[in-house]
Amino acid sequence: MKSLRQDALDIFNAAIQSVLPEAAVRSALGKWLEGNDSGLKNGKLVVIALGKAAWRMASASHEIIGQYITDGLVVTKDNHSQGPIPSFEIMEAGHPVPDQRSVAAGERAMELVKNLTEKDQVIMLISGGGSALFEKPMEGVTLDEIMLITRQLIQRGASIDEINTIRKRLSAVKGGKFAQLCQSAKMFSIVLSDVLGDRLDVIASGPGVPDRSTTAEAREIAKTYELDLSEMAEKALELEATKNMMEHDILIAGNVSLLCCRAAEEASKRGYTPLILTTTLDCEAREAGKMLAAMARDVQNPRGKEYSMAPPYAVIFGGETIVHVTGKGKGGRNQELALSAAFGIDGLENVVILSAGSDGTDGPTDAAGGLVDGQSLERMREQGILPKKSLHDNDAYHALRGSGDLVMTGPTGTNVNDLMMVLCR
Amino acid sequence: MKSLRQDALDIFNAAIQSVLPEAAVRSALGKWLEGNDSGLKNGKLVVIALGKAAWRMASASHEIIGQYITDGLVVTKDNHSQGPIPSFEIMEAGHPVPDQRSVAAGERAMELVKNLTEKDQVIMLISGGGSALFEKPMEGVTLDEIMLITRQLIQRGASIDEINTIRKRLSAVKGGKFAQLCQSAKMFSIVLSDVLGDRLDVIASGPGVPDRSTTAEAREIAKTYELDLSEMAEKALELEATKNMMEHDILIAGNVSLLCCRAAEEASKRGYTPLILTTTLDCEAREAGKMLAAMARDVQNPRGKEYSMAPPYAVIFGGETIVHVTGKGKGGRNQELALSAAFGIDGLENVVILSAGSDGTDGPTDAAGGLVDGQSLERMREQGILPKKSLHDNDAYHALRGSGDLVMTGPTGTNVNDLMMVLCR
């Protein structure tokens, strides 16, 4: 059991390495340089990094193409900058609700690309959170209104997709509009995706990508959440989204698929047969836990062995589950999934289930997630913990801490959703 | 798409054939006869069939070993008998709450095995529902009290495991006690299992199987559901369960694993790579639907192909999901799973998701379940149906009927839980 647990942790940690901002930028710029190094000295090279991982992506780009960068801009969340980077201005802005600093960042970026020509290059380094951090309201709409609408949508339970569909239409830089401002300059985007399915127009509200949403969708969202809109905003929602624009190169350099792939490779190296079942898992955390446990249990089923996974195996899932919090405990989606799974594998030997977030901070806790085995519940009970009550109270953190089943990595500086795994031998 | 849908239905129907009561009894008795045909003429052969499939199991046994049967008894649910069977008495009794007829059936069975010797044979044919149909309260406990407790447990949300743990302790025939009454006669049980994981002491409350539950568990259940117990009943819960008894041959001749295996074989024949992921799926139906859809979506994921299922494939699940009904619509767990899955595969080509019950009657409906594809939601909307509202109202039946996505088999006469499948090419 001990080595099975260690293997699970090692596989998770190896997978994380592949999706760190530095790894993503290095591999993407390496590929890009092969096709572009000749032309780099002729014009300007503007690098704009946007999102929670912006500082680290910018810093990595400086290491590789620092000598070519004429203007750099980092726009990131408060406390996400780690100091100056040569040729880069560093700005911090509001998140998850945009603020005046977000507009200042949007305006600064617009200035940097204002007079570019076809000799020039723009490189966008995009990570999650960029949507709020980078803003410029379209003419006639105020930042106050965008802030109000964002708050209303968040409070009324709108999805991030829905929020961005509205915000793109009220913005002069989202939904491909920023790319249009760069005019004839070449553009290359390196993306660290925090959106399941990698819809490019959704990640950071797609400053360089045509908006795929429709006027009808925007109207439906406004109705569903009973948004209080000004006349100008209402008009903005009715405008056809930017669809015709120059194609440009976009590379998803890090996402949950890569996280899963790297986990599969590492599992394979250690002798487990890997299988990635999905990279877009989006159901309730505790139900996902039950399902993973149900798969793990079947190792012992004597019938149908020829059609089932043969141990040792690693069944891998990527995605982001959800929790409907009803209790007052402490936890996160990954910890809740792991605690729920512990019930379904109670007493089993030779199987562990891991669920952990690539950002290293699951919910409002200092843990990345949980790693449970067939003795987890017993260890909890030995500590005087009632596991059923913990699950009921959404208190997975304390239950898993009691059984020694928290996965602790510290903040990783990246966010490409979560990894879940059934490891069995 | 059409042939993909047809393949899914054909695979389900082929799988059902393998778990019909007749198929189960024929294959089991065939094996048993090989070892026992010599001794059959010397003593009595008592066949007791118990459960919802009892009539059909008894009828099949009559076809094969009719000439040896000295006494036969069928105990089944109202309207589940299809006429006389030579050498068999046929009794109908109460379900899911036992009644006076259940006790009459228990007493009749006790009479039939009263004076057996080691020359004699008892064959038990056991299917789901047997627990309520076959009863004899232990001394000092009344049927009225058993009925009251059963009703309380059902109303207060106890699981079937919990209900049976209590009922076994109040009974003179459950939890292995009936087998003890057969004394030195040889006993052979053929089981059609409706219990996930096939715990033999749970199926029909295990009349021939030692009770694995403990006094502590029984006490906890009584407390949890605040049972109002007589002094005698309270004493009965404290008695150690029957653990030491003669071993006898038990064959699980039909269960959800067999259902899944047969589906896998049939899928393989049709060119799909089969994979059985679990046979004990027990989570929320709509969350399971999301998860199956998430797996189906990943067919289009370009990354990690070498570690993922390669189409054409059939990913197969067995189990029994649950629905927490909050709406007033019509449906069942399989229909709800299918409707939920339809959202997750909306617009996709080349993938269908099936969920259907082996009994052919999903919830209080005339459908076995649902079969959805990437155009299901569109077909619903064309009929004026709002699929999100249907799901919210637990009204999957009408939504799936509108899109032509109901799976209709009629009652199959068996019950070995449900089959779920992602079929992709």
Side-chain angles (χ1 to χ4, degrees), chain A residues 203-252:
Chain A
I203 304 164
S205 292
V209 186
D211 186 357
R212 277 202 265 160
S213 71
T214 65
T215 300
E217 283 169 5
R219 216 182 289 141
E220 198 181 319
I221 295 165
K223 262 192 205 156
T224 305
Y225 300 104
E226 297 172 358
L227 294 182
D228 196 14
L229 296 168
S230 71
E231 201 181 325
M232 278 307 296
E234 220 159 300
K235 269 189 197 159
L237 292 199
E238 293 295 328
L239 285 179
E240 193 49 73
T242 309
K243 296 243 171 2
N244 297 316
M245 53 175 289
M246 262 177 56
E247 291 276 322
H248 79 275
D249 290 334
I250 300 175
L251 184 67
I252 298 184

Tab-separated table of all heavy atoms in Angstrom, chain A residues 203-252:
chain	number	residue	atom	x	y	z
A	203	ILE	N	-11.094	31.195	-22.890
A	203	ILE	CA	-9.940	31.393	-22.015
A	203	ILE	C	-9.555	32.871	-21.998
A	203	ILE	O	-9.258	33.454	-23.038
A	203	ILE	CB	-8.734	30.546	-22.500
A	203	ILE	CG1	-9.126	29.069	-22.581
A	203	ILE	CG2	-7.533	30.746	-21.584
A	203	ILE	CD1	-8.172	28.228	-23.391
A	204	ALA	N	-9.585	33.474	-20.840
A	204	ALA	CA	-9.296	34.908	-20.669
A	204	ALA	C	-10.158	35.770	-21.597
A	204	ALA	O	-9.758	36.844	-22.031
A	204	ALA	CB	-7.807	35.208	-20.887
A	205	SER	N	-11.357	35.267	-21.929
A	205	SER	CA	-12.273	35.960	-22.858
A	205	SER	C	-11.652	36.210	-24.228
A	205	SER	O	-12.043	37.136	-24.942
A	205	SER	CB	-12.765	37.287	-22.278
A	205	SER	OG	-13.603	37.047	-21.188
A	206	GLY	N	-10.693	35.409	-24.596
A	206	GLY	CA	-10.171	35.405	-25.954
A	206	GLY	C	-9.840	36.742	-26.568
A	206	GLY	O	-10.456	37.120	-27.567
A	207	PRO	N	-8.851	37.493	-26.030
A	207	PRO	CA	-8.536	38.797	-26.625
A	207	PRO	C	-8.097	38.675	-28.087
A	207	PRO	O	-8.269	39.608	-28.857
A	207	PRO	CB	-7.400	39.334	-25.743
A	207	PRO	CG	-6.878	38.166	-24.970
A	207	PRO	CD	-8.013	37.203	-24.847
A	208	GLY	N	-7.568	37.504	-28.451
A	208	GLY	CA	-7.094	37.341	-29.821
A	208	GLY	C	-7.927	36.380	-30.638
A	208	GLY	O	-7.487	35.925	-31.699
A	209	VAL	N	-9.118	36.031	-30.183
A	209	VAL	CA	-9.884	34.966	-30.840
A	209	VAL	C	-11.306	35.423	-31.128
A	209	VAL	O	-11.962	36.005	-30.262
A	209	VAL	CB	-9.940	33.728	-29.919
A	209	VAL	CG1	-10.587	32.560	-30.631
A	209	VAL	CG2	-8.553	33.366	-29.433
A	210	PRO	N	-11.795	35.162	-32.356
A	210	PRO	CA	-13.165	35.548	-32.678
A	210	PRO	C	-14.151	34.993	-31.660
A	210	PRO	O	-14.000	33.867	-31.188
A	210	PRO	CB	-13.412	34.897	-34.039
A	210	PRO	CG	-12.071	34.650	-34.613
A	210	PRO	CD	-11.130	34.469	-33.469
A	211	ASP	N	-15.148	35.783	-31.330
A	211	ASP	CA	-16.184	35.404	-30.378
A	211	ASP	C	-17.152	34.439	-31.056
A	211	ASP	O	-17.763	34.772	-32.055
A	211	ASP	CB	-16.919	36.692	-29.943
A	211	ASP	CG	-17.919	36.442	-28.838
A	211	ASP	OD1	-18.086	35.262	-28.451
A	211	ASP	OD2	-18.504	37.421	-28.368
A	212	ARG	N	-17.292	33.239	-30.482
A	212	ARG	CA	-18.190	32.268	-31.088
A	212	ARG	C	-19.615	32.406	-30.566
A	212	ARG	O	-20.524	31.747	-31.046
A	212	ARG	CB	-17.696	30.840	-30.801
A	212	ARG	CG	-16.610	30.393	-31.763
A	212	ARG	CD	-16.558	28.869	-31.793
A	212	ARG	NE	-15.551	28.364	-30.876
A	212	ARG	CZ	-15.532	27.122	-30.410
A	212	ARG	NH1	-16.485	26.268	-30.721
A	212	ARG	NH2	-14.567	26.722	-29.604
A	213	SER	N	-19.810	33.226	-29.552
A	213	SER	CA	-21.159	33.332	-28.983
A	213	SER	C	-22.050	34.153	-29.903
A	213	SER	O	-21.569	34.905	-30.750
A	213	SER	CB	-21.094	33.988	-27.599
A	213	SER	OG	-20.782	35.357	-27.719
A	214	THR	N	-23.360	33.997	-29.715
A	214	THR	CA	-24.309	34.694	-30.589
A	214	THR	C	-25.113	35.736	-29.809
A	214	THR	O	-25.181	35.694	-28.586
A	214	THR	CB	-25.314	33.695	-31.202
A	214	THR	OG1	-26.100	33.143	-30.139
A	214	THR	CG2	-24.596	32.572	-31.923
A	215	THR	N	-25.710	36.616	-30.560
A	215	THR	CA	-26.557	37.645	-29.978
A	215	THR	C	-27.715	37.007	-29.191
A	215	THR	O	-28.079	37.466	-28.108
A	215	THR	CB	-27.121	38.536	-31.102
A	215	THR	OG1	-26.008	39.131	-31.775
A	215	THR	CG2	-28.019	39.616	-30.565
A	216	ALA	N	-28.253	35.917	-29.733
A	216	ALA	CA	-29.375	35.232	-29.064
A	216	ALA	C	-28.941	34.691	-27.707
A	216	ALA	O	-29.672	34.799	-26.716
A	216	ALA	CB	-29.885	34.104	-29.944
A	217	GLU	N	-27.748	34.117	-27.654
A	217	GLU	CA	-27.229	33.605	-26.380
A	217	GLU	C	-27.086	34.728	-25.361
A	217	GLU	O	-27.463	34.591	-24.197
A	217	GLU	CB	-25.872	32.914	-26.587
A	217	GLU	CG	-25.974	31.526	-27.199
A	217	GLU	CD	-24.609	30.985	-27.647
A	217	GLU	OE1	-23.587	31.658	-27.395
A	217	GLU	OE2	-24.591	29.912	-28.251
A	218	ALA	N	-26.496	35.838	-25.815
A	218	ALA	CA	-26.292	36.974	-24.922
A	218	ALA	C	-27.628	37.463	-24.364
A	218	ALA	O	-27.767	37.724	-23.171
A	218	ALA	CB	-25.576	38.101	-25.664
A	219	ARG	N	-28.616	37.544	-25.239
A	219	ARG	CA	-29.937	38.011	-24.832
A	219	ARG	C	-30.549	37.060	-23.798
A	219	ARG	O	-31.122	37.473	-22.797
A	219	ARG	CB	-30.833	38.087	-26.080
A	219	ARG	CG	-31.806	39.231	-26.081
A	219	ARG	CD	-32.666	39.193	-27.328
A	219	ARG	NE	-31.943	39.541	-28.547
A	219	ARG	CZ	-32.133	38.937	-29.740
A	219	ARG	NH1	-32.979	37.923	-29.859
A	219	ARG	NH2	-31.465	39.332	-30.804
A	220	GLU	N	-30.386	35.737	-24.045
A	220	GLU	CA	-30.956	34.734	-23.135
A	220	GLU	C	-30.314	34.828	-21.744
A	220	GLU	O	-30.995	34.711	-20.728
A	220	GLU	CB	-30.750	33.335	-23.727
A	220	GLU	CG	-31.672	32.305	-23.093
A	220	GLU	CD	-31.455	30.900	-23.670
A	220	GLU	OE1	-31.273	30.781	-24.902
A	220	GLU	OE2	-31.454	29.946	-22.870
A	221	ILE	N	-28.999	35.028	-21.726
A	221	ILE	CA	-28.301	35.132	-20.434
A	221	ILE	C	-28.792	36.365	-19.678
A	221	ILE	O	-29.069	36.313	-18.480
A	221	ILE	CB	-26.772	35.195	-20.659
A	221	ILE	CG1	-26.281	33.883	-21.273
A	221	ILE	CG2	-26.045	35.481	-19.346
A	221	ILE	CD1	-24.886	33.967	-21.872
A	222	ALA	N	-28.934	37.475	-20.381
A	222	ALA	CA	-29.397	38.709	-19.746
A	222	ALA	C	-30.778	38.509	-19.128
A	222	ALA	O	-31.070	38.982	-18.027
A	222	ALA	CB	-29.426	39.844	-20.770
A	223	LYS	N	-31.630	37.765	-19.839
A	223	LYS	CA	-32.976	37.490	-19.326
A	223	LYS	C	-32.915	36.546	-18.140
A	223	LYS	O	-33.551	36.771	-17.113
A	223	LYS	CB	-33.837	36.861	-20.434
A	223	LYS	CG	-34.713	37.874	-21.130
A	223	LYS	CD	-35.756	37.170	-21.996
A	223	LYS	CE	-36.194	38.083	-23.126
A	223	LYS	NZ	-36.722	37.345	-24.281
A	224	THR	N	-32.176	35.440	-18.307
A	224	THR	CA	-32.126	34.405	-17.263
A	224	THR	C	-31.702	34.988	-15.929
A	224	THR	O	-32.266	34.657	-14.885
A	224	THR	CB	-31.135	33.297	-17.675
A	224	THR	OG1	-31.524	32.807	-18.955
A	224	THR	CG2	-31.136	32.154	-16.658
A	225	TYR	N	-30.686	35.845	-15.949
A	225	TYR	CA	-30.162	36.375	-14.689
A	225	TYR	C	-30.705	37.766	-14.380
A	225	TYR	O	-30.204	38.460	-13.498
A	225	TYR	CB	-28.629	36.335	-14.701
A	225	TYR	CG	-28.127	34.928	-14.864
A	225	TYR	CD1	-27.624	34.483	-16.073
A	225	TYR	CD2	-28.214	34.022	-13.802
A	225	TYR	CE1	-27.205	33.163	-16.229
A	225	TYR	CE2	-27.802	32.709	-13.950
A	225	TYR	CZ	-27.301	32.287	-15.165
A	225	TYR	OH	-26.899	30.991	-15.319
A	226	GLU	N	-31.718	38.169	-15.141
A	226	GLU	CA	-32.414	39.436	-14.904
A	226	GLU	C	-31.444	40.593	-14.718
A	226	GLU	O	-31.487	41.331	-13.717
A	226	GLU	CB	-33.343	39.300	-13.685
A	226	GLU	CG	-34.433	38.280	-13.932
A	226	GLU	CD	-35.261	37.957	-12.694
A	226	GLU	OE1	-34.955	38.509	-11.631
A	226	GLU	OE2	-36.193	37.151	-12.798
A	227	LEU	N	-30.548	40.752	-15.687
A	227	LEU	CA	-29.540	41.805	-15.600
A	227	LEU	C	-30.193	43.170	-15.784
A	227	LEU	O	-31.093	43.346	-16.598
A	227	LEU	CB	-28.470	41.601	-16.666
A	227	LEU	CG	-27.613	40.348	-16.509
A	227	LEU	CD1	-26.568	40.302	-17.612
A	227	LEU	CD2	-26.940	40.330	-15.142
A	228	ASP	N	-29.689	44.109	-15.002
A	228	ASP	CA	-30.166	45.478	-15.058
A	228	ASP	C	-29.214	46.232	-15.993
A	228	ASP	O	-28.113	46.600	-15.585
A	228	ASP	CB	-30.115	46.032	-13.627
A	228	ASP	CG	-30.935	47.293	-13.506
A	228	ASP	OD1	-31.735	47.570	-14.427
A	228	ASP	OD2	-30.745	47.987	-12.495
A	229	LEU	N	-29.599	46.439	-17.246
A	229	LEU	CA	-28.668	46.972	-18.247
A	229	LEU	C	-29.004	48.404	-18.642
A	229	LEU	O	-30.174	48.777	-18.762
A	229	LEU	CB	-28.722	46.096	-19.506
A	229	LEU	CG	-28.271	44.638	-19.357
A	229	LEU	CD1	-28.673	43.850	-20.606
A	229	LEU	CD2	-26.764	44.570	-19.150
A	230	SER	N	-27.959	49.202	-18.890
A	230	SER	CA	-28.176	50.542	-19.441
A	230	SER	C	-28.559	50.397	-20.909
A	230	SER	O	-28.413	49.335	-21.513
A	230	SER	CB	-26.895	51.362	-19.324
A	230	SER	OG	-25.933	50.860	-20.248
A	231	GLU	N	-29.035	51.476	-21.477
A	231	GLU	CA	-29.431	51.452	-22.888
A	231	GLU	C	-28.244	51.083	-23.778
A	231	GLU	O	-28.347	50.273	-24.692
A	231	GLU	CB	-29.984	52.830	-23.263
A	231	GLU	CG	-30.873	52.835	-24.484
A	231	GLU	CD	-31.346	54.257	-24.782
A	231	GLU	OE1	-31.577	55.008	-23.801
A	231	GLU	OE2	-31.444	54.600	-25.972
A	232	MET	N	-27.086	51.680	-23.477
A	232	MET	CA	-25.898	51.411	-24.290
A	232	MET	C	-25.479	49.941	-24.188
A	232	MET	O	-25.105	49.322	-25.169
A	232	MET	CB	-24.729	52.310	-23.825
A	232	MET	CG	-24.767	53.708	-24.376
A	232	MET	SD	-24.897	53.744	-26.196
A	232	MET	CE	-23.324	52.967	-26.656
A	233	ALA	N	-25.538	49.413	-22.955
A	233	ALA	CA	-25.148	48.024	-22.760
A	233	ALA	C	-26.105	47.104	-23.505
A	233	ALA	O	-25.698	46.115	-24.136
A	233	ALA	CB	-25.130	47.680	-21.274
A	234	GLU	N	-27.378	47.466	-23.454
A	234	GLU	CA	-28.367	46.649	-24.155
A	234	GLU	C	-28.071	46.639	-25.653
A	234	GLU	O	-28.144	45.594	-26.300
A	234	GLU	CB	-29.763	47.200	-23.882
A	234	GLU	CG	-30.792	46.098	-23.662
A	234	GLU	CD	-32.015	46.605	-22.911
A	234	GLU	OE1	-31.844	47.088	-21.761
A	234	GLU	OE2	-33.113	46.531	-23.485
A	235	LYS	N	-27.720	47.788	-26.172
A	235	LYS	CA	-27.352	47.869	-27.591
A	235	LYS	C	-26.119	47.023	-27.883
A	235	LYS	O	-26.028	46.349	-28.903
A	235	LYS	CB	-27.065	49.330	-27.983
A	235	LYS	CG	-28.280	50.063	-28.484
A	235	LYS	CD	-27.871	51.416	-29.067
A	235	LYS	CE	-29.105	52.313	-29.188
A	235	LYS	NZ	-28.746	53.735	-29.255
A	236	ALA	N	-25.148	47.077	-26.951
A	236	ALA	CA	-23.899	46.346	-27.156
A	236	ALA	C	-24.157	44.839	-27.256
A	236	ALA	O	-23.538	44.138	-28.062
A	236	ALA	CB	-22.919	46.636	-26.011
A	237	LEU	N	-25.093	44.347	-26.455
A	237	LEU	CA	-25.392	42.914	-26.508
A	237	LEU	C	-25.964	42.515	-27.862
A	237	LEU	O	-25.844	41.376	-28.292
A	237	LEU	CB	-26.401	42.530	-25.414
A	237	LEU	CG	-25.952	42.601	-23.956
A	237	LEU	CD1	-26.870	41.780	-23.078
A	237	LEU	CD2	-24.520	42.126	-23.772
A	238	GLU	N	-26.607	43.486	-28.521
A	238	GLU	CA	-27.246	43.180	-29.800
A	238	GLU	C	-26.274	43.224	-30.980
A	238	GLU	O	-26.621	42.822	-32.079
A	238	GLU	CB	-28.406	44.168	-30.050
A	238	GLU	CG	-29.572	44.016	-29.091
A	238	GLU	CD	-30.279	42.667	-29.247
A	238	GLU	OE1	-30.318	42.141	-30.371
A	238	GLU	OE2	-30.783	42.147	-28.228
A	239	LEU	N	-25.075	43.760	-30.756
A	239	LEU	CA	-24.109	43.843	-31.861
A	239	LEU	C	-23.588	42.456	-32.209
A	239	LEU	O	-23.274	41.665	-31.329
A	239	LEU	CB	-22.918	44.721	-31.475
A	239	LEU	CG	-23.164	46.234	-31.455
A	239	LEU	CD1	-21.889	46.966	-31.023
A	239	LEU	CD2	-23.621	46.715	-32.829
A	240	GLU	N	-23.488	42.166	-33.480
A	240	GLU	CA	-22.932	40.891	-33.918
A	240	GLU	C	-21.480	40.807	-33.427
A	240	GLU	O	-20.732	41.770	-33.480
A	240	GLU	CB	-22.988	40.805	-35.454
A	240	GLU	CG	-22.741	39.425	-36.000
A	240	GLU	CD	-23.586	38.366	-35.287
A	240	GLU	OE1	-24.797	38.300	-35.514
A	240	GLU	OE2	-22.985	37.611	-34.491
A	241	ALA	N	-21.097	39.633	-32.886
A	241	ALA	CA	-19.743	39.473	-32.365
A	241	ALA	C	-18.719	39.430	-33.491
A	241	ALA	O	-19.041	39.092	-34.625
A	241	ALA	CB	-19.658	38.190	-31.548
A	242	THR	N	-17.498	39.820	-33.131
A	242	THR	CA	-16.391	39.808	-34.086
A	242	THR	C	-16.146	38.392	-34.585
A	242	THR	O	-15.762	37.526	-33.820
A	242	THR	CB	-15.105	40.291	-33.385
A	242	THR	OG1	-15.395	41.519	-32.740
A	242	THR	CG2	-13.967	40.461	-34.366
A	243	LYS	N	-16.385	38.144	-35.838
A	243	LYS	CA	-16.179	36.791	-36.350
A	243	LYS	C	-15.115	36.770	-37.445
A	243	LYS	O	-14.354	35.821	-37.561
A	243	LYS	CB	-17.493	36.216	-36.902
A	243	LYS	CG	-18.582	36.033	-35.850
A	243	LYS	CD	-18.951	34.589	-35.703
A	243	LYS	CE	-19.877	34.249	-34.545
A	243	LYS	NZ	-20.391	35.275	-33.682
A	244	ASN	N	-15.072	37.843	-38.239
A	244	ASN	CA	-14.100	37.884	-39.328
A	244	ASN	C	-12.848	38.606	-38.874
A	244	ASN	O	-12.869	39.788	-38.606
A	244	ASN	CB	-14.689	38.620	-40.538
A	244	ASN	CG	-15.885	37.877	-41.081
A	244	ASN	OD1	-15.849	36.658	-41.214
A	244	ASN	ND2	-16.952	38.612	-41.356
A	245	MET	N	-11.779	37.913	-38.768
A	245	MET	CA	-10.528	38.555	-38.404
A	245	MET	C	-9.393	37.674	-38.866
A	245	MET	O	-9.576	36.520	-39.220
A	245	MET	CB	-10.460	38.783	-36.890
A	245	MET	CG	-10.718	37.528	-36.067
A	245	MET	SD	-10.471	37.830	-34.329
A	245	MET	CE	-8.707	38.001	-34.275
A	246	MET	N	-8.196	38.265	-38.892
A	246	MET	CA	-7.030	37.510	-39.343
A	246	MET	C	-6.789	36.310	-38.442
A	246	MET	O	-6.838	36.407	-37.226
A	246	MET	CB	-5.795	38.413	-39.311
A	246	MET	CG	-5.454	39.017	-40.655
A	246	MET	SD	-4.036	40.115	-40.484
A	246	MET	CE	-2.786	39.043	-39.770
A	247	GLU	N	-6.532	35.207	-39.057
A	247	GLU	CA	-6.136	34.035	-38.279
A	247	GLU	C	-4.761	34.300	-37.697
A	247	GLU	O	-3.926	34.956	-38.302
A	247	GLU	CB	-6.017	32.827	-39.213
A	247	GLU	CG	-7.324	32.344	-39.761
A	247	GLU	CD	-8.024	31.405	-38.795
A	247	GLU	OE1	-7.315	30.607	-38.156
A	247	GLU	OE2	-9.256	31.480	-38.673
A	248	HIS	N	-4.524	33.824	-36.506
A	248	HIS	CA	-3.150	33.863	-36.036
A	248	HIS	C	-2.825	32.605	-35.258
A	248	HIS	O	-3.707	31.821	-34.913
A	248	HIS	CB	-2.864	35.148	-35.243
A	248	HIS	CG	-3.359	35.134	-33.844
A	248	HIS	ND1	-4.640	35.471	-33.504
A	248	HIS	CD2	-2.719	34.839	-32.688
A	248	HIS	CE1	-4.774	35.386	-32.191
A	248	HIS	NE2	-3.623	34.998	-31.666
A	249	ASP	N	-1.529	32.403	-35.058
A	249	ASP	CA	-1.116	31.144	-34.442
A	249	ASP	C	-1.415	31.143	-32.953
A	249	ASP	O	-1.046	32.069	-32.236
A	249	ASP	CB	0.391	30.940	-34.637
A	249	ASP	CG	0.708	30.658	-36.089
A	249	ASP	OD1	-0.188	30.145	-36.796
A	249	ASP	OD2	1.835	30.970	-36.510
A	250	ILE	N	-2.060	30.090	-32.528
A	250	ILE	CA	-2.364	29.922	-31.108
A	250	ILE	C	-1.897	28.540	-30.695
A	250	ILE	O	-2.210	27.557	-31.361
A	250	ILE	CB	-3.874	30.039	-30.855
A	250	ILE	CG1	-4.378	31.417	-31.293
A	250	ILE	CG2	-4.194	29.783	-29.398
A	250	ILE	CD1	-5.864	31.598	-31.197
A	251	LEU	N	-1.130	28.483	-29.646
A	251	LEU	CA	-0.653	27.189	-29.183
A	251	LEU	C	-1.097	26.990	-27.736
A	251	LEU	O	-0.771	27.794	-26.868
A	251	LEU	CB	0.874	27.124	-29.274
A	251	LEU	CG	1.484	25.779	-28.908
A	251	LEU	CD1	1.109	24.711	-29.934
A	251	LEU	CD2	2.996	25.899	-28.810
A	252	ILE	N	-1.865	25.928	-27.514
A	252	ILE	CA	-2.219	25.593	-26.132
A	252	ILE	C	-1.046	24.806	-25.569
A	252	ILE	O	-0.866	23.623	-25.845
A	252	ILE	CB	-3.514	24.793	-26.088
A	252	ILE	CG1	-4.627	25.666	-26.667
A	252	ILE	CG2	-3.833	24.368	-24.659
A	252	ILE	CD1	-5.982	25.064	-26.606
